Amino acid sequence: MGSLFRSEEVCLAQLFLQSASAYSCISELGERGLLEFRDLNPHVSPFQRRFVGEVRRCEEMEKTFTFLQQELRAAGRVPGPCAESPRAPAAREALRVQDQSEQLAQELREVSRNRASLRDRLRDLRQYLHVLREGQRFTSLPAPLGSPPRPRALSEREPILDPSLHQHLERKINFVAGVIHPWRVTAFERLLWRACRGYLVASFVEMPEPMEDPVTGESITWVIFLISHWGEQIGQKIRKISDCFHCQVYPYPESEASRTDTITKLHGQIQELSVTLEETEKYLAEVLDKVAVALPTWRVQVQKMKAIYLVLNQCSFDVTKKCLIAEVWCPVQDLTQVQDALRQGSYQSGSSVECFVQRVPTSESPPTLIRTNKFTAGFQSIVDAYGVASYQEVNPAPYAIITFPFIFAIMFGDVGHGLLMFLFALWMVLYEDSPRLRQGTNEIWLTFFEGRYLILLMGAFSIYTGFIYNECFSKATVIFPSAWSVATMANHSSWSSAYLATHPLLTLDPNVTGVFRGPYPFGIDPIWSLATNHLNFLNSFKMKMSVVLGIVHMGFGVVLGIFNHVHFQQRHRLVLEFLPEMIFLLALFGYLVVLIFYKWIKFSAADSRVAPSILIHFIDMFLFTSNAENLPLYPGQVPVQTVLVVLALASVPVLLLGTPLYQWCRQRAPRMVRPGAMGPLATGEQEPLLEGQEAGNSVNATTEDVESGGHGPDAKHSDFAEIFMHQAIHTIEYCLGCVSNTASYLRLWALSLAHAQLSEVLWTMVMRNGFVGLSYVGGVVLVPVFAAFAVLTVAILLVMEGLSAFLHALRLHWVEFQNKFYVGAGYKLCPFAFAPDTWD
């Protein structure tokens, strides 16, 4: 897992790759995911780089794969994931993949085209068959009931309609038959009537079976039409109108014998086409089977191949054009693995010369690398959302593993609610390897699943704080006997029956012997849930608890700054920053914590009425005064408070001016000049090591740096005004932040109170109503009441209140805690890796 408390040491290195083995070496490094490559050709267009042809070939193959995948989806098949990750293909294997994929794509195109044409032809034949069948019904209708029998119209000149209605009986009757979309029938019929009124007879009927629309692919019930007309001009009009409405017109034989013949031929053609189409479907299924088996592997191979060539485009050639040079960020502990990967890549390519890695000095800030696992990843994500840690800065994540769930639990303390949350997270943890949970598409669900260990700890800590508050779904539990005795109070008081009848509220006096037997063993005494001053008692307790925990949390953040000062060799900050900050915080707010604990220890329940107010004492401390009505907590309290305020005020100018004056004195001190530094390098001349690279662009700027392995003299002089301004902002922010941040921690009290009151209201307004009836009817009513109570508990108290407490805990860590020591101005190390979870 690496170091979680501080980012790992990362160095800049150069890879020297032989041209013949560069592809294999980059492939091996991608499999291991160890390095982040830097672009050595930032000013070169992507279309002018050396391996642009190979990248284009990969993109062409990806286009072919996209076509194959679309064909699979059109056939109702979903290509599965690649079972095992194949390695990047060699050049010869890549050509084979390209040829096979193009061959399969060409076969699919031809077979799909043939299948489409066969389907269109078969649909046309079936439509034609239905047109002829329905047309026979129109042209051979029986005579109406009660009319004299009339022979059927066997002659092509015999009219269909009643001869008494027409004057042109000797004219030839022609037919136009076809199919039309059902949405266009009304408009088609209206236009025919207006354009050819009196010279046609149109009949419409729905097709017996639905067929596919060639345009939309939907299955619709077409409408068959048969139009009889007189004259060629009318026929031309009808055909033009049919074309305008995208009708499919079919030839309609005039004689019944011809129509019977045509129907018989259509049956034979349909049968032959059905057999041919079935064989085509089988062959298409075989081709799709081949694609489904090979496509996932091909896609992964080509993606890796493209990634390798994109990395090679970031490299630069040396002056001999025989070696590729790459600059990478590499964890120091992985340098041996990098060399082993280069050796393995050289061996696979058959090169006789091994590639190698060389560490080079740099003055740039390296990227941040913090290795995580499935447990720590959620907590690290919370920290990274605020800002990625600066290089080798103290990482707040390991401390947040404890503090974040605990602060959340202070606001969410309830045994029942915490247990539900804990069981939900435990279910996700136990079945975390299930593909059904991991491969969900809901973004909210994936967020919960990635933070399952965080939710698990939040639920466990909520159970703990729920026992402290003695609340389980807002009801108190009697784990130990109460420390308050009502029987003793009744025996030693003048409570009579008349007194009890007139006084519904009774007061327990702790000064009576035996009434109060000492503190409750763990948490809040359950008798407080019956008291009318229950809320006042909890308010006082939770408010003081919030202040104490907040000041301890902020003080811990200031202490963590020591590790940054020591690690970065800034020991002057221990005296000029850490010491004034701790004096200011402890002299004021640390003293407040001491007063809270001192008052808890000194005053018991018996003499609590005469206990002084800490708030008034704290206000008088800043005013350098005392209040005669508010008794002191201890002798000599006023002088002690005066000294503490003076110390706090005196630490402010030290914090403000200490670091700027120290830096100014260091800048004015004479610098030691290294002997023998005269020469061309002393004048700032730089010799570029890589071809096409300007001086100053590469981090190994001079050959002297590379040969000696050291850094050149630091010529950066910080301006005193800039340093002073930065320190002034820090001082103002810290001093005012101590006050505002302490008040900000009171949200622990407010959110805890709100959660407890919402839980109590939900129990009183919903669940308690189910216990009214004790009969069988009451048992039946209890079922829907409990269902409503459960739904509201999950929706309001678990989801909404849980999200609210989570956001407030997040703010307390980001602003109040991390602000004391964490800069978060770094950037992550993004290794070149084929696997997405390289560092997990």
Side-chain angles (χ1 to χ4, degrees):
M1 185 181 75
S3 175
L4 185 64
F5 295 92
R6 193 185 301 276
S7 62
E8 293 188 17
E9 184 180 358
V10 177
C11 67
L12 184 69
Q14 283 185 337
L15 304 182
F16 293 87
L17 310 173
Q18 295 295 324
S19 299
S21 59
Y23 180 88
S24 300
C25 291
I26 299 298
S27 175
E28 186 66 27
L29 290 172
E31 295 292 343
R32 304 194 184 192
L34 301 173
L35 307 175
E36 177 183 348
F37 285 83
R38 295 176 44 148
D39 192 0
L40 298 180
N41 309 301
H43 303 296
V44 180
S45 170
F47 303 102
Q48 296 176 348
R49 303 201 178 194
R50 181 175 181 84
F51 299 97
V52 63
E54 287 78 0
V55 174
R56 286 177 177 173
R57 188 177 68 172
C58 294
E59 291 176 349
E60 291 297 328
M61 284 192 284
E62 287 179 342
K63 292 179 181 179
T64 304
F65 297 158
T66 302
F67 168 75
L68 296 176
Q69 186 173 7
Q70 290 175 350
E71 291 296 319
L72 285 176
R73 290 179 177 175
R77 303 187 183 189
V78 179
C82 190
E84 55 183 11
S85 179
R87 299 184 69 87
R92 187 174 301 176
E93 187 180 357
L95 290 175
R96 180 186 61 80
V97 170
Q98 185 177 9
D99 292 340
Q100 290 183 358
S101 62
E102 290 179 352
Q103 182 180 358
L104 285 177
Q106 185 62 27
E107 289 184 10
L108 274 179
R109 290 189 183 96
E110 293 178 357
V111 176
S112 300
R113 190 183 307 113
N114 293 337
R115 183 185 63 171
S117 62
L118 289 174
R119 284 182 173 178
D120 291 342
R121 179 61 180 160
L122 184 60
R123 183 181 63 253
D124 287 342
L125 292 178
R126 286 177 176 173
Q127 287 181 349
Y128 191 13
L129 180 62
H130 286 298
V131 167
L132 293 179
R133 285 176 177 175
E134 297 299 329
Q136 278 191 322
R137 293 177 53 210
F138 292 143
T139 55
S140 58
L141 289 175
L145 293 176
S147 61
R150 185 169 58 88
R152 294 177 60 186
L154 300 178
S155 172
E156 60 183 15
R157 292 181 175 273
E158 186 173 354
I160 298 177
L161 301 178
D162 189 356
S164 61
L165 302 178
H166 298 275
Q167 301 174 358
H168 307 284
L169 298 180
E170 301 300 325
R171 293 188 179 182
K172 180 180 178 181
I173 299 177
N174 297 313
F175 298 95
V176 177
V179 295
I180 185 174
H181 196 284
W183 294 353
R184 304 188 183 108
V185 171
T186 304
F188 179 62
E189 188 176 7
R190 186 181 299 113
L191 186 58
L192 285 174
W193 174 255
R194 291 178 179 177
C196 311
R197 184 174 183 180
Y199 293 96
L200 61 84
V201 176
S203 300
F204 297 88
V205 65
E206 288 186 351
M207 193 176 292
E209 60 176 340
M211 291 191 180
E212 182 182 356
D213 186 354
V215 178
T216 62
E218 298 177 355
S219 180
I220 61 174
T221 302
W222 296 88
V223 174
I224 300 172
F225 63 87
L226 179 64
I227 304 172
S228 58
H229 62 88
W230 296 267
E232 288 298 328
Q233 292 183 356
I234 299 298
Q236 291 178 4
K237 284 184 179 181
I238 294 173
R239 288 182 177 86
K240 289 181 179 179
I241 294 173
S242 300
D243 292 340
C244 291
F245 281 86
H246 303 285
C247 301
Q248 184 68 36
V249 179
Y250 297 99
Y252 189 83
E254 297 179 355
S255 65
E256 187 171 355
S258 300
R259 290 194 291 272
T260 305
D261 253 356
T262 305
I263 290 174
T264 305
K265 292 179 182 179
L266 286 176
H267 277 295
Q269 292 178 7
I270 289 174
Q271 187 174 3
E272 292 177 0
L273 274 178
S274 299
V275 173
T276 306
L277 182 60
E278 184 178 354
E279 294 297 326
T280 305
E281 294 280 0
K282 289 181 180 179
Y283 181 71
L284 179 61
E286 294 176 0
V287 177
L288 290 175
D289 289 338
K290 295 179 182 179
V291 173
V293 171
L295 183 59
T297 303
W298 287 350
R299 185 180 290 276
V300 173
Q301 286 181 322
V302 172
Q303 286 176 348
K304 290 185 176 182
M305 182 179 173
K306 181 181 178 181
I308 292 172
Y309 283 121
L310 290 175
V311 169
L312 290 176
N313 277 335
Q314 296 179 358
C315 303
S316 178
F317 277 92
D318 68 341
V319 292
T320 62
K321 297 282 187 178
K322 296 181 180 180
C323 177
L324 279 170
I325 301 178
E327 283 190 356
V328 296
W329 291 111
C330 175
V332 173
Q333 70 174 16
D334 293 338
L335 283 173
T336 55
Q337 296 187 41
V338 172
Q339 185 61 53
D340 181 67
L342 295 178
R343 188 181 300 110
Q344 187 71 19
S346 301
Y347 173 77
Q348 292 175 358
S349 65
S351 175
S352 58
V353 180
E354 287 189 0
C355 304
F356 62 94
V357 58
Q358 179 182 358
R359 184 173 176 177
V360 295
T362 177
S363 58
E364 294 186 28
S365 176
T368 300
L369 170 61
I370 299 175
R371 303 180 197 257
T372 59
N373 53 31
K374 60 184 179 181
F375 177 76
T376 60
F379 298 94
Q380 190 63 51
S381 299
I382 290 177
V383 175
D384 292 342
Y386 174 80
V388 179
S390 301
Y391 179 63
Q392 293 206 323
E393 184 182 18
V394 170
N395 183 25
Y399 313 104
I401 293 176
I402 300 300
T403 60
F404 189 91
F406 181 65
I407 288 180
F408 170 87
I410 292 173
M411 297 178 280
F412 196 76
D414 190 285
V415 176
H417 301 155
L419 183 61
L420 292 178
M421 183 178 292
F422 178 82
L423 293 177
F424 171 67
L426 184 63
W427 170 73
M428 290 191 290
V429 169
L430 293 178
Y431 295 94
E432 62 184 7
D433 296 329
S434 173
R436 183 180 177 183
L437 298 182
R438 285 186 170 275
Q439 298 175 1
T441 56
N442 191 309
E443 185 177 356
I444 297 178
W445 163 252
L446 292 178
T447 302
F448 280 109
F449 184 74
E450 292 298 328
R452 57 192 179 278
Y453 288 98
L454 175 61
I455 300 175
L456 184 73
L457 289 185
M458 291 193 303
F461 277 83
S462 297
I463 296 175
Y464 171 75
T465 54
F467 280 115
I468 294 291
Y469 299 155
N470 202 349
E471 291 182 0
C472 181
F473 296 110
S474 78
K475 310 309 292 182
T477 56
V478 184
I479 302 176
F480 304 101
S482 175
W484 294 81
S485 175
V486 180
T488 305
M489 187 68 189
N491 294 331
H492 291 79
S493 64
S494 57
W495 290 353
S496 60
S497 299
Y499 181 84
L500 294 176
T502 57
H503 293 77
L505 300 178
L506 303 177
T507 303
L508 298 181
D509 188 0
N511 293 316
V512 177
T513 306
V515 174
F516 180 68
R517 296 188 293 267
Y520 194 67
F522 185 80
I524 302 296
D525 196 309
I527 199 173
W528 281 106
S529 62
L530 305 175
T532 56
N533 58 342
H534 169 65
L535 194 58
N536 295 333
F537 171 76
L538 285 184
N539 278 345
S540 176
F541 167 73
K542 292 182 178 180
M543 180 176 63
K544 293 181 175 64
M545 178 191 65
S546 301
V547 172
V548 170
L549 293 177
I551 294 173
V552 171
H553 198 210
M554 290 190 296
F556 179 62
V558 177
V559 171
L560 287 179
I562 296 177
F563 301 100
N564 283 334
H565 302 330
V566 174
H567 179 77
F568 294 114
Q569 301 297 321
Q570 297 174 338
R571 300 183 184 275
H572 64 279
R573 292 182 179 270
L574 294 175
V575 179
L576 301 178
E577 289 189 12
F578 168 74
L579 193 58
E581 289 175 352
M582 288 301 295
I583 290 176
F584 185 87
L585 180 65
L586 297 180
L588 299 180
F589 303 99
Y591 176 69
L592 177 62
V593 173
V594 172
L595 291 181
I596 292 174
F597 279 99
Y598 183 79
K599 181 179 177 180
W600 279 345
I601 295 172
K602 182 177 180 180
F603 296 93
S604 63
D607 55 352
S608 60
R609 293 180 178 273
V610 297
S613 171
I614 295 179
L615 180 60
I616 296 177
H617 277 304
F618 197 61
I619 295 174
D620 292 340
M621 176 179 174
F622 288 95
L623 299 178
F624 296 98
T625 184
S626 62
N627 193 333
E629 298 178 358
N630 196 42
L631 299 178
L633 284 169
Y634 58 90
Q637 181 178 356
V638 175
V640 171
Q641 293 181 166
T642 303
V643 172
L644 291 177
V645 173
V646 172
L647 280 176
L649 295 177
S651 64
V652 175
V654 177
L655 181 62
L656 175 63
L657 302 175
T659 300
L661 292 177
Y662 175 81
Q663 295 289 350
W664 181 70
C665 293
R666 285 196 61 185
Q667 291 178 8
R668 290 179 60 87
R671 294 179 176 270
M672 297 296 296
V673 180
R674 185 175 53 186
M678 303 300 293
L681 293 176
T683 61
E685 296 181 5
Q686 297 176 341
E687 178 183 343
L689 295 183
L690 305 181
E691 179 194 6
Q693 208 166 27
E694 300 176 1
N697 285 351
S698 177
V699 289
N700 70 338
T702 64
T703 54
E704 181 188 8
D705 287 338
V706 177
E707 293 170 0
S708 63
H711 296 283
D714 184 16
K716 182 179 178 181
H717 295 274
S718 300
D719 184 37
F720 175 77
E722 182 180 352
I723 297 176
F724 178 77
M725 185 61 65
H726 179 273
Q727 191 65 24
I729 294 174
H730 171 72
T731 303
I732 296 173
E733 182 181 11
Y734 178 81
C735 296
L736 296 182
C738 285
V739 180
S740 62
N741 294 347
T742 302
S744 181
Y745 276 95
L746 292 177
R747 70 184 68 235
L748 300 176
W749 161 44
L751 267 293
S752 174
L753 177 63
H755 184 80
Q757 292 302 304
L758 278 175
S759 181
E760 185 175 354
V761 167
L762 192 61
W763 179 275
T764 304
M765 302 295 292
V766 180
M767 194 62 192
R768 194 170 64 179
N769 295 329
F771 298 110
V772 174
L774 300 179
S775 60
Y776 292 105
V777 178
V780 174
V781 172
L782 185 60
V783 175
V785 170
F786 176 76
F789 175 76
V791 171
L792 293 175
T793 298
V794 172
I796 298 177
L797 295 178
L798 288 182
V799 178
M800 294 178 59
E801 278 290 307
L803 180 60
S804 175
F806 179 87
L807 293 177
H808 284 283
L810 194 65
R811 181 245 153 78
L812 290 176
H813 275 77
W814 281 357
V815 179
E816 278 72 23
F817 174 60
Q818 294 179 188
N819 195 32
K820 300 297 183 293
F821 68 97
Y822 186 67
V823 178
Y827 60 101
K828 281 187 177 181
L829 177 72
C830 299
F832 169 68
F834 298 139
D837 53 351
T838 304
W839 301 116
D840 292 351

